[in-house]
Structures are given as C-alpha cells and as structure tokens.
Amino acid sequence: MTPGFAQCATSAIRHEASQASLAPTGRLAHPAEIAKVALFLASDASSFIRGAETFADGARRRFESTGSGRLF
C-alpha cells in the first residue's frame, strides 16, 4: 500500500496546507481513511488481490501522472 499525505498531530500547519494544495481532493487524508485501506487489504475481502500496488493518496499520483492539470 502506498499512502498519501495524512493529517497527524506532529505535522506543522503550514506543511499540511502546502501538501493539501497539491492534492486533487484539496485536503490531506484522515488517518482513519488510510487505516481503512490497510484493513481491507488485510481482510478476506481482498483475497483475490495479488501483486498490486494500492494507492491511498486522494488521486494525487493519478493527477500528477497525467500532467494535464485535470484529475483524470
């Protein structure tokens, strides 16, 4: 799993704001959102998923890879 930037108690407000501005969703992930992806991958519900990189980054990787300034 590849998580994106998430809110945390130790991150600086200015750093969080700059990272949030780069995300297509306009915000950082809540830690619980990242945890839900990890729980899914650890559960029987993901039993057919093999050898895949799962991104939990609010579409940031997809947005950056298109280079178009559009989400998709």
Side-chain angles (χ1 to χ4, degrees):
M1 181 179 93
T2 304
F5 291 101
Q7 298 171 351
C8 68
T10 60
S11 61
I13 299 298
R14 185 173 57 202
H15 180 70
E16 281 190 11
S18 69
Q19 292 302 322
S21 70
L22 298 173
T25 56
R27 65 178 182 83
L28 300 179
H30 298 287
E33 292 173 310
I34 302 296
K36 287 176 185 178
V37 176
L39 287 172
F40 166 73
L41 291 171
S43 75
D44 288 340
S46 69
S47 64
F48 205 69
I49 297 174
R50 296 284 187 265
E53 189 170 3
T54 303
F55 295 94
D57 65 355
R60 183 173 175 180
R61 179 175 164 82
R62 172 74 174 167
F63 182 75
E64 289 175 350
S65 68
T66 64
S68 65
R70 294 179 297 133
L71 184 53
F72 295 100

